[in-house]
Amino acid sequence: MAATPRGDGDRPRSAQRPAAQAERRADARRNIRSILDAAQLCLARDADASVSDIAKAAGVGRVTLYGHFKTRADLVDAVLTRTMEQSDAALEATDTGGDPRQALTRLVGASWQIVHQLHSVLLAAHRELPPERIRAVHDQALHRVQAIVDRGRRSGVFRDDLPERWLVTTVFSLMHAAAEDTAAG
């Protein structure tokens, strides 16, 4: 009968692997969190932040970063997705009920602050990602605008002679254009 390989103590090595794998997975999760935290901060300051700068800020090597994010575009996509999830959570607190005009004003006011703060992340995304991906990441936030526009059209306070999608796109585009102009001084 063949001997079972032994590691620490009397446990077979195969019994140690799940713990070691779980530990690595926890390390990987911590690394990913650190990379995303650092990338979000670095890209918010500078849309052109390098992968090396982000890895250094995360306390990991470039090899580790590239082990989780194959390209800079993948990293930027993950940061944009994460940023939009955080933004959506912040917008959740915005009252979008009542008069559609006032609701849209409140939502644009709350969104404007977020768009302005995260302008550089969006700029990095525009440099790395296709426009349809950027728009898709904004879908949840745009659903709020769409619900208000739909309600306003039904109540007669918003135009109904233009496609709803066009009205939503107009709100989206104006907020982002205003953020770009503000960032440009």
Side-chain angles (χ1 to χ4, degrees), residues 44-86:
R45 284 191 305 258
D46 178 10
D48 294 321
S50 71
V51 170
S52 294
D53 292 339
I54 293 168
K56 183 177 178 182
V60 300
R62 286 181 48 196
V63 171
T64 299
L65 188 146
Y66 280 123
H68 296 293
F69 302 97
K70 299 297 178 205
T71 65
R72 186 175 189 278
D74 290 342
L75 177 59
V76 169
D77 188 288
V79 170
L80 180 63
T81 300
R82 183 187 206 212
T83 300
M84 287 306 302
E85 288 168 355
Q86 292 167 345

Side-chain angles (χ1 to χ4, degrees), residues 96-132:
T96 57
D99 177 78
R101 290 170 294 203
Q102 293 173 356
L104 186 58
T105 299
R106 288 188 299 270
L107 185 62
V108 167
S111 299
W112 162 249
Q113 295 171 9
I114 293 169
V115 170
H116 179 65
Q117 291 170 349
L118 303 172
H119 172 73
S120 287
V121 171
L122 187 60
L123 184 59
H126 279 292
R127 292 176 181 166
E128 297 284 341
L129 305 173
E132 58 275 3

Side-chain angles (χ1 to χ4, degrees), residues 132-152:
E132 58 275 3
R133 176 61 186 148
I134 294 168
R135 178 66 183 237
V137 173
H138 283 80
D139 275 349
Q140 184 61 35
L142 292 175
H143 284 300
R144 282 190 178 79
V145 174
Q146 185 172 350
I148 295 169
V149 167
D150 183 50
R151 205 170 70 238

